[in-house]
Amino acid sequence: MSLRKRWLSAVFAPVALFGVFAAGGVQAEVIKIATTAPDGTAWMKEMRAGADAVKTRTEGRVEVKYYPGGVMGDPATVQRKIKIGQLHGGAFTGGEISANNPDVQVYGLPFLFRNQAEVDAVRAKFDQRIKDGFEKGGFVALGLSGGGFAYIMSARDIKTRDELKAAKVWVPQGDYIAEVAFKAVGVTPISLPLADVYTSLQTGLIDTAANTFAGAIAFQWHTKIKHIVDLPVSYVVGVIVVDKKSFDKIAAADQAVLKDEMAKAFARLDQISIEDNAKAVEALRKQGISVYQPNAEETTNWQKVGAESAQSLDSDKAPSAEIIKAVNDELAANRKK
């Protein structure tokens, strides 16, 4: 080898080797997450903002890629894809992921909360416990957020529990608590994936559903419903989870960043949901949808559903008796104050 060639080799070989290591150093762990949340909604905007922050803070070592709008299938399909490694995680409602962690349903017990202040007080004590509960089923919960209160919405005029019995009522697929609650009223609900509700309202397969005010607009249900009962039935939560095996592939420092930024995004969503629901109910009224306020007697009759459905809960599918008692004790203590 000539002197010049040896010199070039000596100079460029270390540079080339450094390039290999550098390329390996920035190769991202891509976390693929699916959700039925439509693109463009506050949920997707904040989750994307969280993903951008993760990528920046980890210097490209961790990327979160989303599949919104149900393009990866309904929640049950998404969970199957996570098991086989086609996806790494998902953003679900509490009911949709409840088979993995039944305690996540505790906030959704019918007529549990009277107002947002009660929700805030209880969540401050129980959110972390619920998030930790996902690890038993092989998931890591990155964030938990409230979507707001769900209300009964219908194409028919419903004012009382008895009038609800004649309705064709939707419950989310896999939402055990909602199913038990409606059965307590004397309704045999129709279980469907969230993505099928709009079409089912359109065809008449169902005529009644429960959702948040903002959710009704986001999923375009407001174009098919005419009446809302202004009484919060349950509190809706969303949670973003990642398969623990995928999470464990990420370096510890980057895991901390991923948890931190997603928790921040979901904390922002808490406040955004409150604001969006307040705006949405006014928008629904302007659309000509009647919002009926039950009187005290009717309200009491509706609220009895909570106690009646609690007696029918299957201990294997429901939140643990321990957490139900703890939440009710916390509520009682706050109400005394």
Side-chain angles (χ1 to χ4, degrees):
M1 181 182 294
S2 70
L3 180 61
R4 184 173 182 276
K5 287 183 178 179
R6 286 199 300 270
W7 182 81
L8 289 173
S9 178
V11 170
F12 288 107
V15 173
L17 188 60
F18 174 79
V20 171
F21 284 128
V26 298
Q27 185 174 359
E29 287 287 349
V30 180
I31 306 297
K32 299 177 182 178
I33 294 177
T35 177
T36 54
D39 216 351
T41 58
W43 283 79
M44 285 310 308
K45 288 176 182 176
E46 290 304 321
M47 287 197 295
R48 290 191 191 283
D52 289 343
V54 168
K55 186 174 181 178
T56 298
R57 286 182 60 190
T58 63
E59 299 178 337
R61 293 185 298 275
V62 179
E63 286 186 33
V64 181
K65 182 176 182 180
Y66 293 109
Y67 298 87
V71 296
M72 281 290 182
D74 60 36
T77 301
V78 168
Q79 289 174 58
R80 285 196 295 271
K81 289 180 178 180
I82 294 170
K83 285 183 179 179
I84 63 174
Q86 189 174 347
L87 291 168
H88 305 120
F92 305 99
T93 64
E96 290 168 347
I97 194 67
S98 60
N100 180 274
N101 178 16
D103 282 356
V104 74
Q105 302 170 99
V106 70
Y107 297 148
L109 291 171
F111 301 104
L112 177 68
F113 298 111
R114 296 175 183 172
N115 52 53
Q116 186 65 42
E118 289 188 347
V119 172
D120 294 341
V122 168
R123 285 191 55 199
K125 291 202 170 184
F126 291 93
D127 269 15
Q128 191 57 51
R129 175 173 170 176
I130 289 170
K131 287 169 68 176
D132 291 345
F134 282 99
E135 297 218 13
K136 295 177 184 176
F139 282 117
V140 175
L142 302 179
L144 189 150
S145 186
F149 288 106
Y151 297 80
I152 292 173
M153 308 174 175
S154 184
R156 61 172 68 216
D157 190 5
I158 294 174
K159 291 185 172 66
T160 68
R161 282 181 56 175
D162 286 339
E163 289 174 343
L164 184 64
K165 293 177 183 178
K168 293 180 282 187
V169 180
W170 167 75
V171 293
Q173 192 174 58
D175 193 330
Y176 171 67
I177 296 296
E179 188 173 338
V180 169
F182 281 112
K183 284 182 178 178
V185 182
V187 171
T188 301
I190 299 168
S191 176
L192 296 166
L194 181 63
D196 292 352
V197 174
Y198 177 82
T199 303
S200 298
L201 284 168
Q202 194 172 36
T203 61
L205 176 63
I206 59 171
D207 56 30
T208 304
N211 202 345
T212 64
F213 296 135
I217 294 175
F219 289 99
Q220 299 294 301
W221 300 2
H222 67 292
T223 62
K224 303 300 172 188
I225 60 169
K226 298 178 181 178
H227 305 276
I228 295 175
V229 180
D230 190 9
L231 187 66
V233 176
S234 62
Y235 186 72
V236 179
V237 297
V239 60
I240 184 168
V241 298
V242 172
D243 176 61
K244 193 172 186 305
K245 294 189 297 292
S246 300
F247 184 78
D248 287 343
K249 293 178 182 177
I250 301 170
D254 291 343
Q255 288 178 353
V257 170
L258 181 59
K259 280 187 171 183
D260 181 51
E261 291 299 339
M262 287 301 168
K264 287 177 183 176
F266 272 60
R268 292 192 297 268
L269 278 169
D270 276 325
Q271 186 57 40
I272 290 169
S273 292
I274 293 170
E275 295 166 0
D276 283 357
N277 280 308
K279 294 174 185 174
V281 68
E282 294 309 315
L284 292 169
R285 284 191 173 103
K286 288 178 181 177
Q287 288 276 345
I289 295 170
S290 69
V291 182
Y292 173 71
Q293 176 66 60
N295 61 32
E297 182 181 352
E298 291 168 342
T299 297
T300 299
N301 196 30
W302 277 107
Q303 290 174 336
K304 287 178 183 176
V305 174
E308 292 166 6
S309 59
Q311 297 173 1
S312 305
L313 293 177
D314 183 329
S315 59
D316 291 334
K317 297 180 182 178
S320 67
E322 179 188 0
I323 198 168
I324 291 174
K325 182 181 184 304
V327 166
N328 278 306
D329 287 349
E330 182 66 24
L331 277 172
N334 275 279
R335 286 168 185 169
K336 284 182 181 179
K337 297 175 186 177

